[in-house]
Amino acid sequence: MAKMIGTDPKATIKGALEENSEFKELYNTDEDAHKTIDLAASLEGMVRNVSIHAAGVVICGRRVDDYIPLSRSGDIIIT
């Protein structure tokens, strides 16, 4: 299925469903493929990793976790 989407870094599952008739046919006729493609589409574009960059300071009017997710790196809380 992944090969049906293409190798262009800007390729999307939605775009492949619109442009690739073979991929669309698989999506419409195979229940397992349909579920897999829907799941993959829901994950598409999500952050794949976390890294630390000393690039700025977050200033906000309420608790910072009201605005962005927080994580821990050792004893340091990071955004």
Side-chain angles (χ1 to χ4, degrees), residues 2-19:
K3 290 180 181 179
M4 293 177 169
I5 296 170
T7 58
D8 183 335
K10 295 181 182 181
T12 64
I13 292 170
K14 180 181 177 184
L17 285 169
E18 293 170 358
E19 297 169 10

Side-chain angles (χ1 to χ4, degrees), residues 2-43:
K3 290 180 181 179
M4 293 177 169
I5 296 170
T7 58
D8 183 335
K10 295 181 182 181
T12 64
I13 292 170
K14 180 181 177 184
L17 285 169
E18 293 170 358
E19 297 169 10
N20 184 326
S21 59
E22 184 182 359
F23 188 56
K24 187 174 184 175
E25 178 69 20
L26 179 66
Y27 180 78
N28 289 329
T29 60
D30 185 315
E31 185 177 340
D32 288 335
H34 190 98
K35 289 178 184 177
T36 301
I37 293 166
D38 283 347
L39 178 60
S42 73
L43 297 173

Side-chain angles (χ1 to χ4, degrees), residues 59-64 66-67:
I59 300 173
C60 42
R62 297 191 314 252
R63 292 174 44 110
V64 70
D66 286 345
Y67 297 97

